[in-house]
């Protein structure tokens, strides 16, 4: 997953981008980058592995002048976790400097890339985003917009894009609208971002969300709609609401906090645990769900687990490398809350189930008499090919286990998942407009041939997962 | 403030210390250090500015062998924020290597230091802790314990100490017991720490808390009580419970989470806001208090503010350097929760009031109709001389303003503080045993002459303050 | 200027390359890089700004496995002193990984690049070397060798190349042979280098020098000559012998030390200074010339200037930023040698004349009665377009001044340059085979249109110039 | 060995100190440090491991204000090569800040240190220099000068000291005068340095050399002689002239370059090699000696060995770790000069003989028909206890081998050393005033008991040895 951010027509665009990326850090901690374009069309860039505050030092920031900027924060698969894949991509092509930040995943990138290489294109990275740039450069159209359109007509998959050619900024969302993109106003210019929280941090006024297939051009403080891409059925990623986005953002027209509260309420209705003494969340990503559950069920809300917020590149010694030690570094149970109690634990989702297993053990050791786990989304049974780095099917705890088998594996008194219907009801709006392939197997675009199974797996839930609030 | 940690008789003592310090990081982010002593009495150390995970890299950790270790994490005043003050202190004196980690503050350090210097002692740091080491080295007694006792008899103030002479570890708490210190068991050895959360992270069994004036000697897996220091009236720092310690710790025999919940309940009883629509906390330090308030008052609990947990050395540009921009980097309001509502905001304490002022503005801009601030402790009217880095009186918002004046300054519909009596009632136990000088002016030891006012101020609430959960 | 090095068929090829580059450091200190190819055709690389020992740390070196490697050390113009231009270039094209190290300069790179970009090629760097790679990738031939040949037939200028496709290594010298390239044998494999000193440092046996237009293919321990490039008149760069190469190297079949000694002898014959007391060099690049001068003239050789060899990124304070202070940091006169004497100072060449001016002042202040400067090459009157970073004509002290004017500008009793004829006589061999365009204006290939004048200048003689022995 | 430098009464004293240390780098590359004192008596410092240009970055330099400064560059034994031993020592004692830079070695430091520790002094380092500081701090005298005198009366051994108390600077040389110290004038203030080359680099006027036992006080631009220390027979270290100092310095009243030339001449007279074809030096430390040899003997001077001046922390792979590979990294023979010749090689001294052995082999492989090694000093048969880090006797090639045995060990046609008498004659002046203990065993102060043999050895000639010109 990635966070993207762009500025057009506001002074110190790179500083705004820095703050924007900082608030989008939960969308990717692997690498970060900012590209700025100054009045003389000179391009300045800083990209590197790590958090934006590590990559873009104050000195680096001071060397990114201009009123136009694009930023990217990346959260990628293990195999390609290398500097050369850090975005934004920057190239000099015949129309001048082009910078591109991409959130999503192309499903036909392998084929396109292989065609391009056969014709003499030289790739610098293994990222699918570079394919887009080469398609633009190879286009035989004369104007940048036509070249971009040529490229968009050939790519398939999920893409929210921020792109600059010279000092003109384009913001584009694929016709299915998998990933969010919003536009805001600030000091006579415009700002584009993956989530509204990135507008808030810089004090920009939320203008509106881009619709699927929408394409904006921003230039000299003027914003203009280019013709929409050819329409397709909408497929908004429901996991953005369930897990990925920040609770203070509005995504797909919905308050994330409110949606999660609704998920908790639906969960309490579908799977109450009336005999229990209290309910608590796996902080922080499930806080809203636990609150919703408590309010709906009438069970007492507690803080049963405390997170250490100084998480990061903590060294874990060989002696501590067991999963349970890793979990202990991030969470500590509050014994006084748990001891002797029948507790409901609310979590947003279960991916591999390994962290949950250790958490359950920890809660048990803190004296819980019964543990009832409630998951505010359905079982994840398949990988995502549209931008979320889920592991391969084999690694998903629910891919070939029944709920009862998972309950036993985790060592629980009870385990319940929210149903697909309730999840979509809580998400609200047009329930047919969501992509829920990882839960339902209903893939709106066929997975790429080379990914159907046995894919070199990546982690959905890395060490820093729950830094999201 | 500081966090201290010690290990005796457990292999890879430095790695345990690393984890322990990591869980005590909320007690000090300015500098960190670990000293280990190996079987041949060789001393190894690593100290530096920054978080423990930055200072003690895996490579550094691998160069800290031995089954005895002492660690320290420091949170100090601006003036002395220099490497040379990073602890533990290590010296070679006539009985071999001595390492010392100190949490607290000596009130007669200036005088003692000046006497020592006059007699030819050479100080390497400006820390008061080094005074203790010189007193030990200068003692004319022959045995280390008698030398330590000589030193303890001369110092005055707050001190929880972990100290090694060779491979013998001593743990000492001053007779008033200002700061906590606990001992735990692990794999046939012992572990000493500022808080129980540091025992939990390494899986040590909580043994017990040291009492005021208690002095332990741990050697070769055996623990022994040395005679208590001369008794004085107990003065446990109530601010440890209100703000400083982690909610998952047990401090002064009390669950911090439970205490904070009780503070919230008392606050709701003393200062309800029945006409309001909802209550929320300033996360994360006030979460338990807001929950207590909600439960007692029956008001709906909400998540009105979201914190960005990727806080750290974030660059703040000159344009953003206003207090409100700084606050926006850390907190974002959830408009959907706040808009049009009459809200109760619960915070643990008010120090300067500057952050609160910006937060209130932010909540107002998010559409709050009325804002009622409830503080779960009394007004802070004086500095602390026993280890907490409060600013000077002049900077304390409550030092010379009435509650009504503060309410107007902050722009609130109402502002209420918890009374001293209720705070102590919520803290529980022997209410006479607490130090509450910063709230009440009742200083158990006279402030040092050179500190009575005009002290070079330090910040209680630095950028990373609310990283505490 | 650059140094290049390649290994085929010898274990730990990267370590050999490291040592080789280390001995070629005088050919470029701006950036360094090593690429290795392992048995599985995986490519590993390390490139960065700075000296090879700074860029390629032991850790980096350990991550460069394989028996095939290419290395590059670069010494470039200010404008393009950026990481992205660090070589070797590495790309993945349809025949697999390709790495290229280039010493020289293409004269038609701008035109070729512009054609390529117009057709959709995307460049990552501003280096002319990347043009070669794109030409290879775009070739419609099927075999790598034919593709390379396609590229070579389109480029014009100076190039000594080391190139790998998969694990096959190619070594190529342009038909005029501007830059040297030698091949050696080691442990059953082959080594290619800019100078013989790089063979010596790793104990490789000097095999022979590549002739102009020669093209070698080395594969699996077997070396093979591919058909020569279309022949052109030879134009060996005489400045390699005069200044650039190391004295312990054999370049263009000539010992550099012996050639420089001969230059000194010719200089003494053409421009003796019989009335003087002694002769000394500007160390270290002119040592051999001063020795030759002394031997031919019978004047006493002295060490009149001492160099500080700890040169590097020495900070120069604003107060010291005068040229004379800069010179003082590198050289110190020996007063006892100079005071009251009539001295001959021998230098290899005069470029801008600024360093010489300060040196002369320094020698004067040390008490020299008369100073007679003898330059072991003719006046430099034009820029080089074949790989040496001379400044623009305007900055050359001799471009529009007579020798007498330069003598007055430098403040000398006498100044004499070696004649072109004598320089070529000292260089030996076929005197018609040398390029001496910077001295004579006789450019074997027309300068590129965009370079004819007003070029953004670069320094021939940077801070570290005289590190060459 | 160490280099020391001090400034009193000149603006930007730290910058001058930086340049001074830079020119004294040959006296120590292990660590470097600068301490400055500003007008308000605040002390600023920067110390670290490595070269002065690595330790004292421009940023660090800008944080060292004031017109008074002391600097140190250290070259120490392996055992104590740790940051804490980096000088200058800085302490706050009762008279304010004291900084001390020491060149030399105390012979009674162990005893003094043990007494001090027994009385409660706490040492931070293992350096003998810290003993001096403690003795000053412990003195019962009232005035700084009397306290310093108390300390000087207790220490024994070799010391050239630069010391500041507040902004008063003291320069002191021990009564035997082992190590040099010179004073110069600059812009109304004074500069003190180990060698005159450090005065030259900043353009200071050489004032004079301190005599043994001399003690200067410099304050507010005024220089004053304090009473000399109690006189003892002079023992100037002859090795300073033979090897240690820079040729452009004047040391003990003698030009180092001229002295070395004289050493070469005496060597040619004592041990000519009339049948040989040429003579060359082991560059750069023996250049002057080889020149003297050539001039006296009439043999042709050649450059038979070329040094790589980019020496530093070069990585040497396990495969290359043989001594011969290490030598090859630093030196390369010029075959054209050597092949088929009978050569005289001149070196300044032989310590372990290991480098020489490899060099001889390399020269032999380059085709030398005969190799005649001439050493411009006598066999080294004992360690130095006065500041030069010679290895223990066991490691000295000449400690228990005859010259004939060494010749065979090195594989030479002939080997000759300069006699003690000739060395002293070449050194000039009062021949009885030199210390030549390492050559003659005539130790002017008895070696410390704990050093008589079996001392943990250190290297006289580390990797960077011949960086000295």
């Amino acid at each position: 997953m990635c966070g993207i951010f762009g500025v057009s027509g506001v002074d110190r665009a790179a500083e705004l981008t820095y703050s924007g990326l900082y608030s989008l850090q939960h969308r990717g901690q692997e690498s970060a980058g900012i590209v700025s374009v100054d009045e003389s069309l000179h391009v300045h860039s800083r990209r590197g592995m790590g958090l934006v505050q590590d990559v873009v030092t104050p000195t680096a920031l001071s060397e990114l002048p201009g009123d136009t900027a694009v930023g990217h924060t990346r959260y990628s698969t293990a195999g390609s976790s290398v500097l050369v894949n850090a975005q934004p991509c920057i190239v000099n092509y015949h129309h001048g400097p082009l910078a591109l930040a991409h959130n999503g995943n192309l499903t036909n990138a392998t084929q396109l890339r292989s065609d391009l290489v056969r014709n003499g294109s030289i790739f610098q990275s293994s990222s699918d985003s570079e394919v887009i740039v080469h398609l633009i450069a190879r286009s035989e159209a004369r104007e940048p917009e036509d070249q971009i359109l040529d490229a968009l007509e050939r790519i398939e998959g999920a893409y929210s894009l921020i792109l600059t050619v010279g000092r003109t900024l384009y913001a584009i969302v694929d016709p299915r609208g998998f990933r969010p993109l919003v536009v805001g106003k600030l000091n006579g210019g415009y700002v584009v971002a993956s989530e509204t929280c990135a507008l808030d941090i810089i004090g920009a006024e939320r203008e509106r969300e881009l619709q699927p297939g929408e394409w904006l051009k921003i230039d000299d403080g003027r914003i203009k709609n280019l013709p929409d891409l050819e329409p397709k059925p909408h497929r908004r990623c429901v996991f953005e609401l369930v897990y990925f986005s920040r609770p203070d953002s509005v995504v797909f027209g919905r308050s994330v906090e409110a949606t999660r509260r609704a998920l908790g309420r639906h969960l309490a209705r579908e799977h109450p645990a009336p005999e229990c003494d209290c309910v608590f969340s796996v902080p922080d990503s499930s806080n809203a769900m636990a609150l919703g559950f408590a309010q709906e069920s009438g069970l007492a809300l507690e803080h049963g687990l405390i997170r250490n917020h100084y998480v990061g590149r903590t060294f874990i010694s060989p002696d501590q490398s067991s999963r349970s030690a890793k979990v202990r570094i991030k969470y500590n149970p509050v014994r006084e809350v748990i001891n002797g109690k029948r507790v409901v634990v609310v979590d947003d989702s279960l991916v591999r189930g390994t962290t949950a297993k250790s958490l359950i053990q920890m809660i048990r050791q803190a004296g819980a008499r019964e543990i009832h786990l409630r998951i505010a989304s359905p079982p994840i049974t398949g990988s995502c090919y549209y931008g979320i780095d889920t592991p391969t099917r084999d690694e998903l705890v629910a891919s070939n286990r029944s709920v009862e088998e998972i309950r036993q594996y985790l060592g629980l008194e009870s385990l319940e998942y929210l149903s697909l219907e309730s999840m979509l009801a809580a998400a609200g709006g047009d329930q047919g407009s969501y992509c829920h392939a990882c839960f339902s197997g209903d893939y709106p675009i066929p997975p790429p041939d080379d990914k159907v199974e046995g894919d070199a797996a990546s982690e959905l839930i890395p060490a820093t997962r729950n830094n999201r609030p």
Side-chain angles (χ1 to χ4, degrees), chain A:
Chain A
M1 189 47 96
C2 306
I4 61 178
F5 192 90
V7 176
S8 172
V10 194
D11 278 352
R12 300 188 186 224
E15 289 180 11
L16 296 168
T17 304
Y18 176 94
S19 293
L21 292 183
Y22 177 75
S23 77
L24 297 172
Q25 195 75 84
H26 61 287
R27 298 183 72 86
Q29 300 90 41
E30 184 188 276
S31 68
I34 298 178
V35 173
S36 75
V37 188
D38 67 21
E39 283 62 25
S40 322
L41 292 184
H42 289 134
V43 173
H44 311 267
S45 75
R46 176 77 175 189
R47 294 174 292 188
M49 304 308 291
L51 302 181
V52 64
Q53 66 225 67
D54 296 330
V55 170
V56 189
T57 59
T59 308
L61 202 46
S62 71
E63 293 163 355
L64 297 168
D67 72 348
T68 305
V70 181
H72 191 271
T73 173
R74 177 180 169 87
Y75 180 161
S76 171
T77 68
S80 52
S81 173
V82 289
L83 180 52
V84 82
N85 284 342
Q87 290 195 14
C89 294
I90 327 161
V91 299
N92 273 291
Y93 88 128
H94 34 141
H95 279 288
L98 181 155
L100 174 120
H102 172 206
N103 178 25
N105 195 55
L106 304 187
T107 54
N108 64 341
T110 308
Q111 182 56 47
L112 291 172
R113 183 188 180 98
S114 140
D115 295 346
L116 284 161
V117 165
R118 199 173 314 113
N119 287 304
S121 286
I122 292 178
F123 277 74
Q124 292 298 322
S125 74
S126 63
S127 95
D128 58 344
S129 311
E130 195 182 349
V131 167
I132 307 174
V133 171
H134 279 277
L135 290 172
I136 297 170
R138 287 273 189 161
S139 164
E140 294 182 356
R142 290 188 48 191
E143 291 307 309
E145 282 149 41
D146 297 323
Q147 295 171 335
I148 295 170
L149 190 58
D150 274 359
L152 296 178
E153 284 173 348
R154 297 191 56 194
I155 62 178
E156 185 68 80
Y159 52 88
S160 287
L161 299 175
I162 302 176
L163 190 146
T164 52
V165 177
R167 290 171 67 216
T168 304
L169 187 146
Y170 300 93
I172 305 166
V173 171
D174 70 75
R176 295 180 183 82
F178 288 100
R179 304 283 151 226
L181 201 61
V182 293
V183 61
K185 262 178 142 163
L186 182 71
N187 299 341
Y190 288 90
V191 175
V192 184
S194 289
E195 297 184 28
T196 58
C197 66
L199 305 182
D200 297 343
I201 199 172
I202 57 168
E205 190 185 333
R206 297 182 191 179
E207 180 91 352
R208 66 193 183 77
E209 204 166 15
L210 272 75
Q211 293 308 305
E214 192 168 357
W215 182 1
L216 297 180
K217 174 181 183 177
I218 310 175
D219 212 356
D220 276 331
R222 277 163 303 128
I223 194 165
K224 179 179 149 189
N225 260 81
L226 298 182
D228 280 3
L229 303 183
E230 190 184 341
K232 301 204 172 138
H234 294 186
R235 287 293 180 265
R236 302 304 218 160
C237 169
V238 74
F239 212 59
E240 288 275 355
L241 292 165
V242 171
Y243 172 75
F244 220 86
S245 299
R246 264 176 54 162
D248 46 331
S249 287
V250 172
V251 166
F252 307 146
R254 300 275 298 155
S255 157
V256 176
E257 169 73 17
T259 304
R260 291 190 186 163
R261 192 80 69 76
L263 287 163
R265 284 217 180 82
H266 277 88
L267 186 59
R269 258 177 257 146
E270 261 191 22
H271 304 293
E275 72 294 353
C276 284
D277 299 310
C278 63
V279 57
F280 57 83
S281 72
V282 178
D284 288 328
S285 56
S286 310
N287 286 353
M289 293 150 179
L291 180 54
F293 193 103
Q295 290 173 335
E296 181 71 24
S297 67
L299 278 184
L301 182 69
E302 293 283 349
H303 299 145
L305 292 169
I306 300 298
R307 288 191 64 228
N308 188 341
H309 286 302
Y310 294 93
V311 173
R313 286 141 302 173
T314 310
F315 169 70
I316 294 177
S317 77
D319 281 11
Q320 294 177 298
S321 62
S322 65
R323 170 62 59 166
S324 68
K326 281 181 191 165
V327 166
R328 210 157 52 197
I329 278 174
K330 203 152 62 182
Y331 300 103
N332 200 20
V334 182
R335 296 191 199 182
E336 291 64 25
V337 160
I338 292 172
N339 195 21
K341 299 282 178 52
R342 292 166 301 181
V343 303
V344 177
V345 181
V346 175
D347 205 352
D348 50 84
S349 56
L350 274 184
V351 183
R352 288 186 179 77
T354 46
T355 297
K357 190 171 169 67
S358 299
L359 266 176
I360 299 305
Q361 283 172 347
M362 182 188 272
I363 294 167
R364 187 76 68 187
Q365 283 161 10
R369 190 140 57 91
E370 293 181 11
I371 308 176
H372 301 265
L373 183 61
R374 296 294 180 268
I375 305 298
S377 59
I380 299 178
T381 53
S383 296
C384 175
Y385 304 105
Y386 318 122
I388 292 183
D389 305 294
T390 31
T392 55
R393 283 200 62 214
D394 289 355
E395 297 175 76
L396 295 169
V397 71
S399 66
N400 49 17
R401 281 190 191 81
S402 69
V403 172
E404 171 57 17
E405 284 167 338
I406 301 171
R407 184 195 67 74
Q408 288 179 23
Y409 166 73
L410 297 178
L412 292 161
E413 272 69 26
S414 77
L415 165 67
E416 301 291 353
Y417 283 94
L418 188 63
S419 66
L420 185 63
E421 297 65 38
S422 291
M423 179 180 71
L424 295 177
D430 172 5
Q431 298 182 22
S433 72
Y434 288 105
C435 176
H436 39 69
C438 58
F439 298 116
S440 63
D442 180 10
Y443 287 94
I445 311 176
D449 290 348
D450 59 341
K451 288 285 176 56
V452 172
E453 253 329 67
D455 183 8
S458 59
E459 288 231 11
L460 170 63
I461 309 288
T464 45
R465 170 202 184 191
N466 273 299
N467 265 359
R468 84 192 50 251

